[in-house]
């Protein structure tokens, strides 16, 4: 209700920047299946601001909305447009956020070497903060290594991620790293330990 009123007020004032914010709020409070509708409106509103960061961020958000419903081609197309706007701004946070999201699709499509290269950049950028973006980048990097058959590097990443997650009491990411380790154990033929690790993650994942 608040988001809807916010958007209505922004439209009444013809305030393009606030209209963009209004669509952001509406998008985040709605069901992922319907976010594409608001994402389209978000991009249209952002283009009226003539601000490269605002426009690029809007395309990034629409890409993420597509990614959430597994429309990977559409997601990648939006990430590429987002990068066109954001790269010249030198906004390092958004630049690396785009790289992270492109890497997710690269890994999904099997371009693991390209995903690994992008994710290494993200890990290095986010490491000083040591928070959720850093842990997410580590986790994705470990998965990309695993998909490439490099289980040694994947397991090293999982150990580092687990230690970091424990240090900041992030139990969710700790479980994700444990799950990744369980998958690696399967491919390494250690089935008994793999079952133990994967079963241990199920309650939290469910």
């Amino acid at each position: 209700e608040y988001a809807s009123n916010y958007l209505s007020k922004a439209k009444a004032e013809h305030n393009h920047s606030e209209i963009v914010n209004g669509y952001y709020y509406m998008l985040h409070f709605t069901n992922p299946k319907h976010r594409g509708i608001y994402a389209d409106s978000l991009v249209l509103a952002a283009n009226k601001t003539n601000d490269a960061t605002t426009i690029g961020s809007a395309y990034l958000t629409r890409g993420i909305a597509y990614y959430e419903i597994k429309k990977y081609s559409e997601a990648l197309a939006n990430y590429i447009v987002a990068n066109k706007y954001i790269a010249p701004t030198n906004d390092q946070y958004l630049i690396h956020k785009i790289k992270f999201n492109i890497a997710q699709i690269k890994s999904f499509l099997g371009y693991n070497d390209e995903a690994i290269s992008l994710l290494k950049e993200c890990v290095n950028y986010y490491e000083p903060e040591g928070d959720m973006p850093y842990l997410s980048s580590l986790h994705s990097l470990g998965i990309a290594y695993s998909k490439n058959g490099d289980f040694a590097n994947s397991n090293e990443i999982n150990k580092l991620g687990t230690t970091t997650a424990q240090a900041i009491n992030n139990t969710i990411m700790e479980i994700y790293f444990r799950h990744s380790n369980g998958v690696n154990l399967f491919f390494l033929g250690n089935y008994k330990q793999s079952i133990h690790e994967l079963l241990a993650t199920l309650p939290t994942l469910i």
Side-chain angles (χ1 to χ4, degrees):
E1 183 181 352
Y2 289 122
S4 179
N5 286 330
Y6 191 107
L7 179 58
S8 295
K9 184 174 188 292
K11 286 181 176 180
E13 295 173 353
H14 303 287
N15 187 327
H16 297 307
S17 294
E18 294 300 345
I19 290 171
V20 168
N21 287 334
Y23 280 122
Y24 269 120
Y25 300 143
M26 292 297 292
L27 186 149
H28 288 298
F29 282 115
T30 196
N31 188 301
K33 293 180 181 179
H34 306 304
R35 284 179 182 168
I37 299 169
Y38 291 111
D40 288 342
S41 299
L42 170 64
V43 167
L44 289 172
N47 274 291
K48 292 179 181 178
T49 68
N50 294 316
D51 179 77
T53 301
T54 301
I55 297 169
S57 184
Y59 277 102
L60 173 59
T61 298
R62 187 163 71 174
I64 293 170
Y66 278 124
Y67 184 84
E68 287 178 338
I69 57 174
K70 304 186 187 303
K71 290 188 175 182
Y72 300 117
S73 296
E74 292 90 337
L76 182 57
N78 277 272
Y79 295 155
I80 291 170
V81 176
N83 189 59
K84 182 184 76 173
Y85 283 100
I86 296 298
T89 71
N90 202 34
D91 185 324
Q92 292 301 315
Y93 179 82
L94 281 177
I95 286 170
H96 285 86
K97 190 173 182 181
I98 292 168
K99 287 181 178 181
F100 174 84
N101 283 286
I102 289 175
Q104 305 307 303
I105 295 179
K106 293 282 189 182
S107 182
F108 177 81
L109 295 175
Y111 300 110
N112 296 303
D113 289 331
E114 295 176 36
I116 288 168
S117 179
L118 289 169
L119 289 166
K120 281 182 176 179
E121 292 183 47
C122 294
V123 166
N124 290 333
Y125 174 74
Y126 291 122
E127 185 176 9
E129 299 299 325
D131 53 8
M132 194 64 180
Y134 174 60
L135 290 173
S136 295
S137 298
L138 276 178
H139 179 249
S140 294
L141 179 58
I143 290 174
Y145 274 130
S146 180
K147 287 182 175 181
N148 240 11
D150 189 349
F151 301 112
N153 267 322
S154 182
N155 285 334
E156 284 302 311
I157 292 293
N158 288 335
K159 288 177 185 177
L160 175 60
T162 299
T163 301
T164 307
Q166 289 174 341
I168 62 173
N169 199 31
N170 190 322
T171 54
I172 296 297
M173 287 308 299
E174 184 181 349
I175 286 295
Y176 281 131
F177 286 113
R178 189 172 185 181
H179 176 270
S180 181
N181 184 55
V183 172
N184 287 346
L185 286 167
F186 168 80
F187 285 111
L188 290 168
N190 193 341
Y191 303 122
K192 185 175 181 180
Q193 187 62 23
S194 174
I195 290 171
H196 174 77
E197 288 292 287
L198 293 173
L199 285 176
T201 69
L202 272 179
T204 302
L205 294 177
I206 291 169

